[in-house]
Amino acid sequence: MTENIKDKVVVITGASSGLGEETARHLVASGAKVALGARRLDKLNALVAELGVENASAFEGDVTNREAVEAFVTDARAKWGKIDAMLHNAGVMPLAPLAMKRTDEWDRCIDVNLKGVLYGIGAVLPIMQEQGYGQNLFVSSVAGHVVNPVGAVYCATKFGVRAIAESLRQEVKGHGPLRTTILSPGAVDTELPGSVKAEGVHEAVVGLYDQYAIPASSFARSVIFALSQPAEVDINEILFRPTSQER
Ligand SMILES: NC(=O)c1ccc[n+]([C@@H]2O[C@H](COP(=O)([O-])OP(=O)(O)OC[C@H]3O[C@@H](n4cnc5c(N)ncnc54)[C@H](OP(=O)(O)O)[C@@H]3O)[C@@H](O)[C@H]2O)c1
């Protein structure tokens, strides 16, 4: 399962916790080099220390800042010489009913989950096209397939991520072996429920995660699977849930 991963350079946004952090561990264990981005540099530096400076680098930046995303990707290429893949993973999940009118959270969710992904594509695509290879991996969600009553904005961003990824997949045909993968997890045990602040909703989401969230290694293994395919195989979608998650 880990073939074709050794010496690949993988850029990861949102690598300071949860899915991004755990995936970095699995990638380095499989022989890859990882460029880690997030706002909490102390967490990234701790992960670099764990993985080894010969395998990992850290970059502090906010994905809602286009210049910061460009600088992160440029820095990764300068450090590691190439970019084989980018995991567009940074995200927030401020679930709340629309009637609560939490407009700052609407803005933040769209800025991080959609604009952040677009800025990542804008930064890395020219490099991948120049190289003639590359794989973009996007993190949607079960919420990118199924709408729920407190998830209007979050679901919109995760449906949107799938639309962006599928459009990209079609656009880059004919530009060498560029590949596009959408990963849609169900409830996975990370810091994500902490981004649900709305009273009542927070407690409900934490309760659901306590009940059935699965370890982040489930996600990391799906990334490894998608990245380990030979160049002519493009894994476009992976949707998975905890076995006990109904919707
Ligand atoms: N866990 C789940 O159940 C689940 C299910 C489906 C989809 N997802 C998706 O998986 C992705 C990763 O989430 P997670 O579950 O691993 O949650 P997490 O533990 O909260 O991690 C979120 C990551 O995103 C980063 N981030 C947030 N805002 C950012 C910003 N403005 N700029 C740069 N980085 C930012 C955080 O780093 P800093 O705070 O250090 O910046 C952190 O590293 C998200 O896109 C989420 O929607 C998660």
Side-chain angles (χ1 to χ4, degrees):
M1 179 135 141
T2 58
E3 52 191 299
N4 299 315
I5 296 205
K6 191 170 171 348
D7 295 327
K8 274 191 173 163
V9 175
V10 185
V11 177
I12 305 175
T13 66
S16 60
S17 65
L19 305 185
E21 178 184 14
E22 186 63 10
T23 302
R25 290 196 181 96
H26 282 242
L27 284 168
V28 168
S30 304
K33 313 292 181 196
V34 290
L36 311 172
R39 292 165 304 171
R40 289 172 292 174
L41 188 58
D42 54 333
K43 302 259 296 175
L44 295 179
N45 283 338
L47 187 56
V48 169
E50 176 190 328
L51 300 175
V53 287
E54 67 285 8
N55 298 315
S57 58
F59 194 93
E60 180 184 6
D62 188 321
V63 294
T64 67
N65 178 330
R66 188 161 47 82
E67 287 76 25
V69 178
E70 295 276 347
F72 171 39
V73 171
T74 304
D75 177 80
R77 193 201 199 177
K79 265 190 191 121
W80 300 106
K82 60 172 183 166
I83 296 175
D84 293 284
M86 182 157 176
L87 178 61
H88 304 266
N89 166 72
V92 292
M93 185 179 71
L95 302 175
L98 289 169
M100 280 190 176
K101 206 175 171 188
R102 297 175 71 93
T103 49
D104 288 348
E105 290 187 350
W106 300 350
D107 290 344
R108 189 82 195 142
C109 192
I110 289 166
D111 286 349
V112 176
N113 296 6
L114 282 179
K115 289 189 189 169
V117 166
L118 288 169
Y119 296 159
I121 294 170
V124 83
L125 192 56
I127 294 171
M128 290 180 173
Q129 288 183 316
E130 184 199 317
Q131 292 175 161
Y133 60 85
Q135 186 165 355
N136 282 287
L137 300 103
F138 298 94
V139 188
S140 178
S141 172
V142 166
H145 294 258
V146 179
V147 174
N148 62 67
V150 290
V153 181
Y154 182 67
C155 292
T157 66
K158 292 303 181 180
F159 273 74
V161 165
R162 291 182 57 233
I164 291 165
E166 173 57 13
S167 183
L168 175 69
R169 185 189 71 77
Q170 296 177 27
E171 283 180 33
V172 298
K173 289 295 147 201
H175 292 270
L178 297 191
R179 291 182 281 176
T180 308
T181 302
I182 302 163
L183 303 143
S184 295
V188 181
D189 185 17
T190 68
E191 295 179 10
L192 198 66
S195 63
V196 186
K197 308 285 188 205
E199 207 181 322
V201 185
H202 174 79
E203 294 74 10
V205 171
V206 168
L208 285 178
Y209 272 67
D210 284 349
Q211 200 182 320
Y212 53 57
I214 51 178
S217 55
S218 58
F219 175 85
R221 283 195 303 273
S222 68
V223 172
I224 296 286
F225 171 72
L227 273 174
S228 63
Q229 302 304 313
E232 67 274 20
V233 179
D234 194 4
I235 301 293
N236 301 130
E237 290 240 25
I238 298 177
L239 167 64
F240 68 95
R241 293 175 172 84
T243 308
S244 56
Q245 181 176 343
E246 191 180 331
R247 279 181 50 83

